[in-house]
Amino acid sequence: MKTGSGRAGQQAARRLRRMHDLLAAAYGPQHWWPAATPLEMILGAYLTQNTAWKAVERSLENLRRAEALTVEGIRALSVDALRVLIQPSGFYQRKAPSIKAFVALLDAEFSGSLEAMAQMPSEALRAKLLALPGVGPETADAILLYALGHAVPMADEYLRRIATRHGLVEGEAKIVRYEHLAALTRAAFAEDSAARRTILYNEFHALTVAVGKAHCGRTARCEGCPLECDLALRS
Ligand code: SF4
C-alpha cells in the first residue's frame, strides 16, 4: 500500500489532497450530511448500510410521522415497532436491535445526551461504537464525523474505487482495507488544523460520493470527470 510515510505514500497523499481541490472546484460545497439533526444522521448511518438513500428517506419519514425521530422516541419504541417503521431500508431484523443498542449505550454512559457523547475523545469513542452490534468502521466514522463533529476521515466504496483506479493504493479494489484508505485520507489533510480537518473530511467524503455517482461507479466514465487529469500520474 502507498499509505506509509515513505516517498510513495507522501506523493499519494498529495495527489489525494489535490483531488479534493479539483472536486471542490468542480462541484462546490456539498453541505452534508443530508439530515436535519445529529440523531437523524446517526439513524441514517445505520439505515443506509447496503441500502439506497431513497429507501432510508422512507424509513426516516415513517419515524417522523410516528414522532419517533428523537432519542426519546427511539427509546420508547419496542424493537418490533422500530422494525416495522424502518422496513423500507431493508435488513430491518438486524438494524432495529442495532439502533436500540446505540441508544442503550447513550443512556448507560452519556445520560442519553449526544452532546455528552460528542465530548469523548475520538479514539475512545470510536472503540465504543465499533464494539456495538451492526457498527463497522464506515458507520462508526460517519457517526463521529457527521453527527458528533469529530475530525475523523471516512472511506467508502467510492473512495476505494478512485484510489485504486488512480494507483494511490496497490491491489485490487475489493482487497484494499478500510483503515488504509482512512490513513491515506488523514495523510492528505495532515497539515490542516483539527477544526479545519473536520470540515475538509466532511466535504471530501461528500465530493467523492458526488464524483462516484457521476463518473466512477462500477464502470469508470473518465471522459469529462474532474479527476481525469490525475490519471496521467499513475505509476
Ligand atoms: S471516472 Fe476515471 S477519472 Fe474519474 S475518478 Fe474514476 S477513474 Fe478517475
Side-chain angles (χ1 to χ4, degrees):
M1 301 286 172
K2 298 175 183 175
T3 53
S5 55
R7 204 164 154 207
Q10 288 167 4
Q11 194 183 25
R14 272 199 300 275
R15 284 176 55 203
L16 196 68
R17 175 52 188 265
R18 183 164 166 267
M19 286 179 173
H20 164 272
D21 297 343
L22 290 165
L23 292 172
Y27 295 137
Q30 298 297 296
H31 303 299
W32 265 37
W33 180 286
T37 66
L39 180 73
E40 204 174 308
M41 291 175 202
I42 290 163
L43 295 174
Y46 277 95
L47 296 174
T48 198
Q49 295 168 359
N50 307 109
T51 306
W53 188 256
K54 285 273 173 227
V56 174
E57 284 176 342
R58 288 205 297 278
S59 292
L60 291 174
E61 185 54 32
N62 285 347
L63 289 166
R64 190 173 290 112
R65 285 204 189 125
E67 299 185 0
L69 211 42
T70 60
V71 172
E72 295 72 26
I74 298 292
R75 190 187 293 126
L77 288 173
S78 68
V79 177
D80 285 341
L82 182 56
R83 280 193 178 110
V84 171
L85 293 169
I86 66 169
Q87 201 161 353
S89 306
F91 303 98
Y92 50 89
Q93 293 290 0
R94 68 168 171 76
K95 286 180 182 176
S98 297
I99 290 168
K100 292 291 277 185
F102 175 87
V103 173
L105 171 73
L106 190 68
D107 287 343
E109 300 205 24
F110 304 98
S111 306
S113 165
L114 288 171
E115 292 80 10
M117 179 181 259
Q119 297 307 310
M120 189 173 218
S122 302
E123 213 172 307
L125 184 51
R126 189 172 195 264
K128 276 194 186 295
L129 294 173
L130 286 173
L132 288 171
V135 178
E138 191 176 331
T139 302
D141 290 342
I143 292 171
L144 285 164
L145 176 63
Y146 287 103
L148 304 176
H150 285 237
V152 169
M154 268 193 76
D156 69 353
E157 189 55 29
Y158 288 122
L159 181 59
R160 197 185 320 275
R161 283 191 190 124
I162 294 165
T164 306
R165 286 170 177 166
H166 284 253
L168 299 180
V169 290
E170 292 164 357
E172 296 299 317
K174 59 182 178 297
I175 59 168
V176 174
R177 287 181 47 218
Y178 181 96
E179 299 299 344
H180 284 111
L181 290 168
L184 178 62
T185 308
R186 266 194 300 278
F189 297 99
E191 290 179 11
D192 296 281
S193 68
R196 179 105 182 101
R197 276 201 299 273
T198 305
I199 297 164
L200 289 166
Y201 289 154
N202 181 324
E203 281 297 311
F204 184 56
H205 175 60
L207 288 164
T208 55
V209 172
V211 76
K213 286 183 174 167
H215 290 278
C216 206
R218 285 181 202 281
T219 304
R221 296 185 300 277
C222 300
E223 196 176 334
C225 175
L227 301 183
E228 196 178 0
C229 60
D230 182 85
L231 284 174
L233 302 176
R234 277 181 299 193
S235 54

